[in-house]
Amino acid sequence: MIASSGAPRPSVLFVTDLAYEARGRRYCDEDIFLTSRLRETFDVALCHPRDAASLLDGFDAVVVRNSGPVLHYQEAYDAFRTRARESGVRVYNTLDGRADMAGKQYLVDLSRAGFPVIPTVDRAADLGLLPRSAGYVVKPKLGADSVGLRFTEEPELPEGADGTLLVQPRIDFRYEVSFYFVDHDFQYALHAPRPERRWVLEPYAPASADLDFAHRFVEWNTLTHGIQRVDACRTPEGDLLLVELEDLNPYLSLDRVPEEVREAFVDRMKESVRELLA
C-alpha cells in the first residue's frame, strides 16, 4: 500500500465518449489531454455517458465533456440528470443552463426578444416573420452536429411539427467565430476564415464590440459553473449573429490555440471545478 499524507484529493467522474466520431474534430484527443491535466489536482475516472447515472455515487463531482449529441442516448441522459439532482452530486457544467443544455428553444426565445441571433421560429403560424431568403434551414429542436438538418427553398414545417422543429433563413456570412468562456470569464476566440471548412479554425483577436456581443449571451444564460461556447457568424455588413450558445458539452478546439492560452484555460477550468466543490 502506498502511504499518503494530508486530506484526500477530490474525486471526479469524467463523462466522455472517446469513440465518438465528429467531422473535422477528434474528441478523444481533447479529453485525453484534459484528463491528464485534471489528474494533477483531482482523482479522475472516465466513463461513457450511458453509464454515468449508475456510477456517479462516490464521486465529489461529475465533469461532462465530449460526450456526443444527447439525442443518441436521451433516456440515459435524462436518468443521469435525475439521479444527479436526487443525490446532490455536483455536476460540471452545472445543470441550470438554459441554452443548448435545454434544447434549442432559446433560439426562438432570443429571436422573439430581439437579440442579435439568426431569426428563428418553431411554429407554422410564425413562418411569415422570417426574412426572405434564397433558402431555409429546418432542424430538430433537440438536434446536434447537424443531425436531422435539411434545406428547403421556402420556409416550411411539416404538419404536426409545431414546437419540435426550428426554421431559419440561410444566412450569407463572411466567416464563423467562436468565443470560449469558463464560467463568465472569456478565455479565447477562434474563427473559420473559410465558411466551407467550419472546423479549420485559427486564433481570432476579438474587438471590444465582439466581446460585448459574446458576453451578452453568457450573462443571459443561467449557468452557475462551467464552459460555454458562443458561436456566431459575421454578416457581409459586419454584424455578428448568434448561431448557437453551447453550454452542455462544447468542443474546445484546444489543439488550435497557442500553448500559453491552452495552459491558462486548463488552470481556469481547474479553479472553476474547485469553486464548484467549495
Side-chain angles (χ1 to χ4, degrees):
M1 180 178 295
I2 299 176
S4 61
S5 60
R9 303 199 311 171
S11 58
V12 167
L13 181 64
F14 191 100
V15 181
T16 179
D17 182 359
L18 295 177
Y20 180 72
E21 296 183 5
R23 289 182 300 173
R25 295 152 286 168
R26 283 181 55 87
Y27 281 13
C28 58
D29 289 350
E30 183 164 281
D31 281 354
I32 290 168
F33 166 74
L34 280 175
T35 52
S36 72
R37 297 303 309 277
L38 289 175
R39 283 193 178 96
E40 298 168 354
T41 305
F42 309 102
D43 292 334
V44 179
L46 279 69
C47 83
H48 189 276
R50 293 185 184 275
D51 304 322
S54 62
L55 295 176
L56 58 82
D57 289 339
F59 287 89
D60 297 309
V62 180
V63 173
V64 179
R65 281 304 311 130
N66 290 318
S67 50
V70 167
L71 76 166
H72 293 331
Y73 54 92
Q74 189 68 52
E75 185 175 341
Y77 178 68
D78 292 342
F80 162 72
R81 287 174 64 96
T82 298
R83 183 74 189 98
R85 288 195 169 106
E86 291 174 347
S87 67
V89 68
R90 293 169 174 84
V91 180
Y92 190 93
N93 291 354
T94 49
L95 300 177
D96 51 3
R98 56 174 175 166
D100 265 30
M101 184 180 295
K104 303 288 188 182
Q105 177 63 38
Y106 73 96
L107 291 173
V108 179
D109 297 339
L110 290 172
S111 184
R112 287 174 179 164
F115 279 72
V117 306
I118 294 178
T120 308
V121 301
D122 66 343
R123 299 188 179 278
D126 295 333
L127 291 173
L129 300 177
L130 296 176
R132 293 301 303 169
S133 172
Y136 296 83
V137 179
V138 182
K139 56 188 177 183
K141 190 176 287 187
L142 295 178
D145 273 9
S146 300
V147 175
L149 180 147
R150 62 188 180 91
F151 299 104
T152 63
E153 294 183 0
E154 297 292 333
E156 61 184 47
L157 275 173
E159 185 176 353
D162 276 8
T164 63
L165 299 176
L166 302 178
V167 184
Q168 299 174 320
R170 297 189 70 173
I171 298 295
D172 182 23
F173 60 88
R174 287 157 49 190
Y175 57 81
E176 291 187 76
V177 58
S178 295
F179 307 87
Y180 301 77
F181 291 78
V182 174
D183 298 343
H184 287 197
D185 299 330
F186 172 72
Q187 301 300 303
Y188 57 92
L190 294 167
H191 79 306
R194 292 169 293 279
E196 71 280 5
R197 304 182 70 185
R198 170 66 180 96
W199 294 105
V200 180
L201 298 172
E202 299 176 4
Y204 178 83
S208 59
D210 297 340
L211 291 180
D212 289 343
F213 168 91
H215 269 290
R216 183 178 180 185
F217 293 103
V218 170
E219 295 300 325
W220 168 88
N221 201 1
T222 50
L223 190 73
T224 304
H225 286 289
I227 300 166
Q228 302 182 67
R229 192 187 72 216
V230 180
D231 294 338
C233 61
R234 178 80 69 186
T235 68
E237 295 75 27
D239 299 322
L240 286 177
L241 294 177
L242 181 75
V243 174
E244 182 178 55
L245 177 54
E246 174 60 88
D247 63 352
L248 173 59
N249 52 4
Y251 183 69
L252 306 174
S253 300
L254 288 172
D255 60 331
R256 298 286 180 173
V257 300
E259 181 179 1
E260 62 272 17
V261 174
R262 187 163 53 247
E263 292 302 311
F265 176 88
V266 171
D267 288 343
R268 183 63 187 93
M269 179 181 176
K270 288 182 182 180
E271 180 184 21
S272 179
V273 175
R274 286 194 296 265
E275 290 169 353
L276 174 67
L277 290 169

